[in-house]
Amino acid sequence: GMSHVSRHVLADPLHLFDAGMFHPARRTLAYGDHMIGQGLLGLPIWLATGNPLLEFNLLALGSLLLCATTGFRSRRETGGGLAGAVATGLVFSFSPFRLNAPLWPQVLCTFAMPLAVAAWARWVRDGRGRDQSEQGGETQGEAGVRHGDSERVAGEVRFRV
């Protein structure tokens, strides 16, 4: 999991997917949630302390702040006021989806989703190509959207709180 990634990403990156489970099988990290992103986020903690429990706990606590911040940012980007943005950040950060899975870092670290929504809303509103690249390219939801109907879609994106 995450501890394996933190240990091996710098020490032995060519064998990153050769985790210790299902020995003697190779590349067993790919059999489940590899948590490479979470391992990289926690890498500074791992390098400073070598403590996987501290790495996990700080990452779990930090995910609350990151999710609240990105939820707030997404709501402000889609035209919400300050109170609505604060409420959105808190609801997203402390949603049952996230809090019912306190031992799953891959669920706790979902803070990039609101950023993708914000980039998509900016792209629909302004039509700038760099906003589309910020969210990682074209998604299924925007595949049929072109500038001709961007006003209709922008109206659907603006959630009211």
Side-chain angles (χ1 to χ4, degrees):
M2 191 170 66
S3 172
H4 170 80
V5 170
S6 295
R7 275 193 318 267
H8 288 85
V9 73
L10 296 178
D12 192 12
L14 295 177
H15 296 102
L16 181 63
F17 278 87
D18 291 334
M21 55 191 162
F22 305 120
H23 183 74
R26 298 191 55 203
R27 296 178 192 82
T28 55
L29 190 63
Y31 290 178
D33 295 328
H34 53 72
M35 293 189 274
I36 292 175
Q38 292 82 6
L40 292 176
L41 281 175
L43 187 60
I45 301 164
W46 172 263
L47 292 174
T49 66
N51 186 342
L53 187 59
L54 181 64
E55 176 187 17
F56 174 83
N57 286 335
L58 289 179
L59 192 62
L61 289 173
S63 74
L64 295 172
L65 178 65
L66 281 170
C67 285
T69 303
T70 58
F72 174 87
R73 177 73 178 105
S74 175
R75 182 64 185 110
R76 292 294 285 176
E77 186 62 42
T78 57
L82 182 62
V86 168
T88 300
L90 290 174
V91 166
F92 180 67
S93 185
F94 296 101
S95 67
F97 167 72
R98 297 182 70 255
L99 295 180
N100 284 335
L103 298 178
W104 296 345
Q106 65 273 28
V107 173
L108 294 176
C109 294
T110 53
F111 53 85
M113 290 191 301
L115 294 178
V117 169
W120 178 78
R122 232 181 8 248
W123 177 74
V124 168
R125 184 184 64 229
D126 301 336
R128 297 184 314 196
R130 101 181 143 151
D131 296 327
Q132 187 178 14
S133 65
E134 284 177 12
Q135 74 174 22
E138 192 167 311
T139 62
Q140 289 179 345
E142 69 188 43
V145 177
R146 297 294 173 246
H147 296 290
D149 56 12
S150 63
E151 292 176 359
R152 179 185 58 79
V153 173
E156 294 170 4
V157 169
R158 296 178 193 271
F159 308 104
R160 297 292 174 207
V161 175

